[in-house]
Each structure stands twice: as C-alpha cells, then as structure tokens.
Amino acid sequence: MRLLLCLFALSSSLCAAASQPNIIIHFIDDLGYGDIGPFGAVKQKTPQLDRMAREGMKLTSFYAAPVCSVSRAQMMTGCYGARVSVPGVYGPGSRNGLHPQEHTIADRLKPLGYATQCIGKWHVGDQPAFLPTTQGFDHYLGIPYSNDMLKTASVDGRRVVPLVRDEKVERLLDEADQDRIEEIYTDEAVKFIRGSKEKPFFLYFPHTAVHTPIHPGKAFQGSSQNGRFGDWVQEVDASVGRVFDTLRELQLDTNTLVIFTSDNGPWLIKGPDGGSAGPLRGGKGTTWEGGVRVPTLAWWPGKIAPGSVCDAVAGTIDVLPTCLKIAGAEVPAQPVMDGRDLSPLLFGQSKDSPREAHYYFSSYNLQAVRQGPWKLALTTQKETMGQEAADDAKKNPRLYHLDQDIGEKTNLAAQHPDIVAKLTALAEKMTTDIGGDEPKSRRPPGEVENPVTLYPTSDKPKERRNAKQSTPLAPREASDAPKAPQTYDVSAMLRSAPKAHLAEQDGYLAHATLDAEKAPQIADTPFTLTCEITTALRDAILIAHGGASTGYALHLSAGKLIWAIRHGKTLTTAQTDYPADNQPHRITATLGQKGQLTLQLDQNAPITANSPGLIRTQPKEDFCLGHDNKVPVATYTTKGKFEGKIVGLKLTTNS
C-alpha cells in the first residue's frame, strides 16, 4: 500500500509538472508592422513565421512602446513604463535601470519550478544590480543594450559592444563581429531548450536584430529582395524556425506557448535599413500607430486555434499576467499591474479586450488613449523619431476611428464630442495616477551610485577599475587566500567625515553620512557590526548602507530591533524585542560565511536567520547613521530623524 501511495504521489507530481507549459518570447528590435509575411511583407520571405501564423493566431492590435527600454520594462513587469519609472532609453554605464525590487516574468515563474534564461538585448540597465541574473533569470547571454551603442575599448582602440554571459563580459564585439550575433543567440537558445526539457522553462529571447547597424549573417547576405534589412529579417525567421524545429524534435511543441512580437515600430529615418510600418502612420519614437502597434503572433498547438485572428486591443503589458495564468498561478493584486490575462483571447473564449483602455505614453507624457476602435490624440505627435510633426498633427485633440482609418488621417473630434469627453476623462485619470510631474502611484526608478561601463573605455571617464582585456575581474575562488580580518572604527570615521552632523545632546553623533568610497569594505566577506544604542524611539533607522540591489541595515520597527540584509528582491531579517527603557543596550549583528544572520541584544540569546549568502558586491551608496539618504535598503516604519545615542560603532570583517 505504501508503495502504491508513493507511486501515486510521484504520478501526481509529474502530471502537475507536465501541466505547466513552456513559454518562449521572441522580442524583435525595431521590426515594423509591415516587415513580416503574415502582415504583408513581400520583399523578404518569412516561411517560418508564415507557418506560425497558419498554425496559431495573428494579433493585429498589439501594442508595445515608442522606444526600446520602455518596451522591455513593460514586457518584464506588466506595467506601463511610466508606472515603473522607465521613461526612455538607457545608454552604457547609465546610473538608472529597472528597479531591482520590481518583479519580472522570470521572478514570478522561477518559484513555480521554471528554468529561466534571457538571450539577447536586455536594455533595462547594464549595472550589476540591473542585469537579468538579478531579475529572476538563471542565466543570460547577450549584448545588454542596442548594438549601435559602441564605445572605444581601452585595450585595443576598437569600437565595440560587450557580449555578456551572466554578469561577465565574455568578449568584445566590433561591427564585423555582429554578423554572427543571431547565430550565437540561436545556438544558445537551442542549447537551453535541450538542457531544460525535463522541467518547465521560460526563454526570453529579445533579438538584437533588426536594430541598426544591420548585420545579417554571411549565409543570409543577399538572400532577400530588400537589401541587408530584408536579409536580416530572413535570418530572424530562420532563427525562429530552429527554435520550432527543436521543440518538435523533443516533442515539446504541444506544451509550449510561443509569442513573437516587436519592441516598437520601424526606424523610418534609417531609410532602407529602417523597415516598414505597412498601412500605419508614423514610426519608432512616436505614439502614432506605426510607432507602437507591432506585428504579433501566438502559437500553442492544441490550445490556440490555427489560422485565428484577434483584433482586440492587447500589448506587451499583458504578457506577464498571461504567463502567470497559464502556469497555474494567480496574478497578485500588489504591486499594481496594468496588464491583464490574455488567455481567454488566445484560446478563443473571448473576443473582447480584457482592459478598459490602452494608454500611449511618450516618457511620462500621456499622448493618446484608445478604447475599442476609438483613439484620442491629446498632444502634438512627431511623425517619427528624428522628424517633426506634420501640420495636421498639431491640432488637438484629434479623434480617429482605427477600424475605418488605420492610417490616422481623418480627425472626427468635432463629430463625436461625447467620445472625446469620455476618453479625455480616462486620460486625465491615468495622468493623475502615473503620468506628468506629480503622479500618485509611480514607483521609484532603479538607481546606483557611481555607475561604470562593463568594460574599460577611452571615451568615458568612469570605468570598471582593474578590468583586464574584455572581461571584468573574476570572483574570488574558494582556493584563494582568505581576506585578513579588519576592524573599522566607524564612529571615528563618521566624526571626521565632511558630511557628519553632531547631535545636539552631549556631543553624541545621531545623524551622519560617510561617502560610499570611504565606507567599510564588506563585499564577499562575512562581517560583524557592534554598537551601543540609547533611544526611547520605537521606530528608527539606526544604520543603513546600500540600496535597492544590495546592502544591510539595522533599524527599529514597532519596538522590534531588526537586522536586515538585502540581496536584490530578497530582504532577510533577524529581529528581537527592543526594551522601551531608554537605557544603553549593546547590539551585535553578524552576517556569516554562508549567509546566516545573527542578532544579539545585550547578553540575550542570539536570534538567527538564513539569507541567500554574502553581499557579493560593495554597496555603492553612502554609509548612513540615523537615516537612509537614498533608495532604502530595508522596509522602514519611521517617519522622523533618529533621536538618541549610537556609540562605539565598529565593523569587523571576518576571515
């Protein structure tokens, strides 16, 4: 009987795993609405995508965003870029990126047992705190931003972009090297699928193609009737085909959802290298349909009806909730998502958009809103990136019936004042929520102190220190000699710092700041923090060093003393009751070699908790006493400044 029960449990487990579909997202760069066969292209042939459309669904009103980084943030988070403070495009070495505490598709699927990999153009931040491996992905391979963002490498003077594997630069690519980028990506995708076939997997495949400079592989050069742009589209098609072939070979096709879409419209000012928006007006960088409505296909044999077409409004913000739903998870109410589950549309159970409206943001400015066939343009819209607005685009508001006027030529605002009023009200509500200069519900941006490029360059003043050739410093191996213990007299360091402020009572420091570069060095090493605290407060920030991606903090919350360690989205705490006697208390807080937190108050029994490990990178934020001056390390409940004494503060690194 016990054997039968075990077999039944195993069978149930296997069935549950099998019920979770694999998910693959092909996210093409700058591919226009008219650039593939299913959407009318004739000069370049896309037989694999033609077959995908015949066997799956064509989504004709699917929306991205005007530019790269915003579109990728929307895909990953299920939110408009304005909600998650991603307004535009990030360059190499930018201090900003997608906040590490935002939850990506990979973050949501990984706890459900999914293997996760990102291959290609990430472009929501290239600092360590923002890379895919800190955002839920097991592995990453790709150029982390646009392929035209070349810098001059200090090592040899070449203009290059980095090919990054996980967190390290694997090699530097000049323009000629980019001829192989689709091949490199596709080989990696096939390898990932083969290696993950025994469990559900999520492959996010944001192709570098077809962003300029255009670099089709040698086997595809001259293969189309549309120059090198058409050649590269045909290579993308072949890449998609190799992924499909692998799924069919491994008999994974009937349990895999594949989505093919683009991050924005075509870059029209690039001429023959820029692609086509087909019947749509405008291009990349605008909120005309041609800038944000993108060619989209969905495929899942047995689930999505072959040859089906969906005209309902949908978009990249809907992908995350859809993935969660088909993986068997509920979409959380918090944090707020703008997207909705598309599975009823995909599976033919509904023909109506799950959203009340779609909002067209350019940065934080809401420029248009669509509900059903009606689109209301609220502001002047430039024709495409690098080209000013036409005369008819300067009269506002403008109302278009997209089912009858897909090219947005005829302004019907005067004939339908009721619809204008209705859509204006929706727009005003959304602007109040996340748009403009004073939004109510916008979440903070990701930000790091002292950002650097991923490789040493001669045309940027800040570079990664001590980097060699094309790779950054390797992490310390287990066989390396351990670091010698070091004790920092932090109280003395703070007192001598320019930013330090003496508390008014008795000359004790209660509020001080130590510049990041002078703070105790705790990267990749265990350490112990000791101090004596006197305060009557029940909520207070005592010590904070770090930010949204990594760091540590000691604080009081509702009468609890809390020792907190930040690893990206994971905040681990050890906590104990703190007396309300306004007497001196000795505190010892430790982060151990294997990530164990230990917190001891006076001679009481220590409290422990287990974190993911050591703090692997040195926090780039200031060391703060009595406050936290940047993005908070921990979750604080205090609203005022610290009042009391913090003395004898020392930090000792352990071998």
Side-chain angles (χ1 to χ4, degrees), residues 413-425:
Q415 292 93 316
H416 300 280
D418 54 333
I419 296 174
V420 170
K422 180 181 180 182
L423 295 183
T424 299

Side-chain angles (χ1 to χ4, degrees), residues 47 118 255 276 312 450 509 513 592:
C118 174
N255 195 41
S276 167
N450 308 312
L509 282 175
T513 304

Side-chain angles (χ1 to χ4, degrees), residues 483-489 520-521 526-528 651-655:
K483 298 176 182 177
Q486 181 174 357
T487 297
Y488 297 87
D489 187 341
Q521 300 295 300
F527 65 93
T528 298
L651 188 150
T652 301
T653 60
N654 308 316
S655 59

Side-chain angles (χ1 to χ4, degrees), residues 57-61 305 307-314 341-355 370-373 403:
M57 174 180 284
K58 184 166 76 168
L59 291 92
T60 61
S61 290
S308 52
V309 176
C310 175
D311 297 321
V313 173
D341 170 30
L342 296 179
S343 60
L345 289 174
L346 297 178
F347 302 155
Q349 299 161 356
S350 174
K351 293 184 178 180
D352 299 323
S353 174
R355 286 191 272 125
R370 176 179 177 180
Q371 187 177 62
D403 286 355

Side-chain angles (χ1 to χ4, degrees), residues 266-315:
W267 202 345
L268 296 179
I269 63 168
K270 294 295 183 178
D273 285 348
S276 167
L280 308 180
R281 182 173 180 176
K284 174 179 178 175
T286 78
T287 52
W288 292 105
E289 293 296 287
V292 290
R293 197 196 290 205
V294 288
T296 303
L297 303 171
W299 178 93
W300 187 354
K303 292 284 189 177
I304 296 176
S308 52
V309 176
C310 175
D311 297 321
V313 173

Side-chain angles (χ1 to χ4, degrees), residues 367-390:
Q367 294 194 340
V369 58
R370 176 179 177 180
Q371 187 177 62
W374 294 103
K375 177 179 179 180
L376 181 69
L378 303 159
T379 65
T380 298
Q381 297 161 289
K382 59 185 178 182
E383 204 67 17
T384 189
M385 182 180 287
Q387 185 176 330
E388 293 306 310

Side-chain angles (χ1 to χ4, degrees), residues 1-12:
M1 177 62 71
R2 182 174 297 174
L3 176 61
L4 288 174
L5 289 174
C6 289
L7 290 173
F8 177 77
L10 176 62
S11 174
S12 299

Side-chain angles (χ1 to χ4, degrees), residues 521-536:
Q521 300 295 300
I522 51 81
D524 206 24
T525 186
F527 65 93
T528 298
L529 197 67
T530 57
C531 61
E532 184 179 275
I533 294 177
T534 306
T535 184

